[in-house]
């Protein structure tokens, strides 16, 4: 409940306890530390028959788990733009980036960011949220010791997710251009450094 407070409130504490009990029975903790226990809970909710009528719930739980992880992550040294001065301009397309492991990307067919915000303390969440046709492309990261939620465009989300899974810069750019023909490569790469998302780089083997 501490890691998934909004998820709990969306279904009420009794139903949440019922779902959590079923999850614990199926996924017994294997480590003494419980800070990272619950990573599989969103996936469990997606397959839990009793949640079939709440298709947005697993993505809300994914968002909460990402925020939970980011808030507890150890700070890491981030890559500075000057580090790329060593790259041969002819090999720029082959650059691969390493990302801060606390960063998570969440794509949802529902406005889970609006759902999460509406359920925060002090927020008037009584207004109806339209779930139809409102997808969300989100990034969760740590910023100065706090968990931060960013709303991304589909192209930026695709670009960053491609890079985060090991794609070469050129391949990630092509993925983004398929989402938006006016994708600005220079601005997108600059934002990676401005937001302190990167921890390292390497060159992929030449094709």
């Amino acid at each position: 409940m501490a890691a998934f407070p909004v998820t709990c409130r969306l279904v009420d504490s009794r139903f949440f306890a019922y779902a959590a009990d079923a999850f614990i029975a199926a996924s017994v903790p294997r480590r003494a530390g419980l800070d990272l226990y619950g990573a599989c809970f969103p996936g469990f909710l997606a397959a839990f028959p009793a949640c079939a009528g709440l298709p947005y719930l697993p993505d809300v739980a994914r968002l909460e788990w990402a925020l939970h992880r980011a808030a507890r992550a150890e700070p890491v040294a981030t890559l500075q733009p000057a580090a790329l001065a060593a790259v041969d301009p002819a090999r720029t397309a082959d650059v691969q980036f390493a990302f801060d492991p606390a960063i998570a990307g969440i794509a949802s067919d529902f406005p889970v960011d609006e759902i999460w915000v509406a359920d925060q303390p002090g927020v008037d969440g009584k207004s109806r949220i339209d779930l139809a046709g409102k997808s969300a492309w989100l990034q969760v990261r740590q910023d100065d010791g706090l968990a931060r939620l960013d709303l991304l465009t589909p192209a930026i989300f695709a670009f960053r997710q491609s890079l985060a899974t090991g794609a070469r810069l050129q391949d990630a750019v092509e993925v983004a251009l398929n989402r938006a023909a006016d994708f600005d490569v220079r601005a997108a790469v600059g934002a990676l450094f401005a937001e302190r998302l990167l921890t390292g780089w390497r060159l992929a083997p030449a094709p």
Side-chain angles (χ1 to χ4, degrees):
M1 287 184 178
F4 301 97
V6 173
T7 305
C8 180
R9 288 193 290 271
L10 287 172
V11 296
D12 83 45
S13 59
R14 290 175 299 173
F15 182 89
F16 185 89
Y18 163 60
D21 183 67
F23 169 71
I24 293 168
S27 307
V28 178
R30 291 183 170 83
R31 299 180 182 178
L34 293 179
D35 270 357
L36 295 181
Y37 180 61
C40 296
F41 187 54
F44 172 84
L45 292 178
F48 194 43
C51 292
L54 302 170
Y56 55 85
L57 192 68
D59 285 347
V60 173
R62 290 186 181 97
L63 173 56
E64 289 206 281
W65 183 253
L67 291 165
H68 175 81
R69 284 187 63 246
R72 287 158 178 75
E74 293 292 330
V76 296
T78 54
L79 185 68
Q80 300 302 310
L84 295 184
V87 179
D88 179 348
R91 297 292 311 279
T92 300
D94 297 320
V95 171
Q96 295 173 304
F97 289 114
F99 281 68
D100 181 341
I103 296 170
I106 301 166
S108 176
D109 292 332
F110 304 97
V112 291
D113 55 319
E114 295 182 21
I115 296 171
W116 182 82
V117 169
D119 208 85
Q120 296 307 300
V123 176
D124 181 6
K126 295 180 181 179
S127 58
R128 181 179 178 85
I129 296 176
D130 184 8
L131 299 180
K134 296 186 70 175
S135 301
W137 293 269
L138 309 173
Q139 173 185 269
V140 174
R141 60 188 172 101
Q142 189 181 90
D143 187 19
D144 292 331
L146 299 174
R148 172 171 175 157
L149 171 61
D150 300 317
L151 182 62
L152 306 180
T153 66
I156 291 293
F157 182 87
F159 176 67
R160 293 182 179 183
Q161 288 299 107
S162 295
L163 289 175
T165 54
R168 300 182 309 141
L169 179 58
Q170 178 176 317
D171 296 331
V173 169
E174 290 176 359
V175 169
L177 286 171
N178 287 332
R179 302 301 299 267
D182 60 349
F183 177 72
D184 188 333
V185 178
R186 185 181 296 274
V189 173
L192 297 177
F193 290 99
E195 296 176 29
R196 295 172 291 175
L197 306 181
L198 306 175
T199 59
W201 69 276
R202 67 176 184 177
L203 287 179

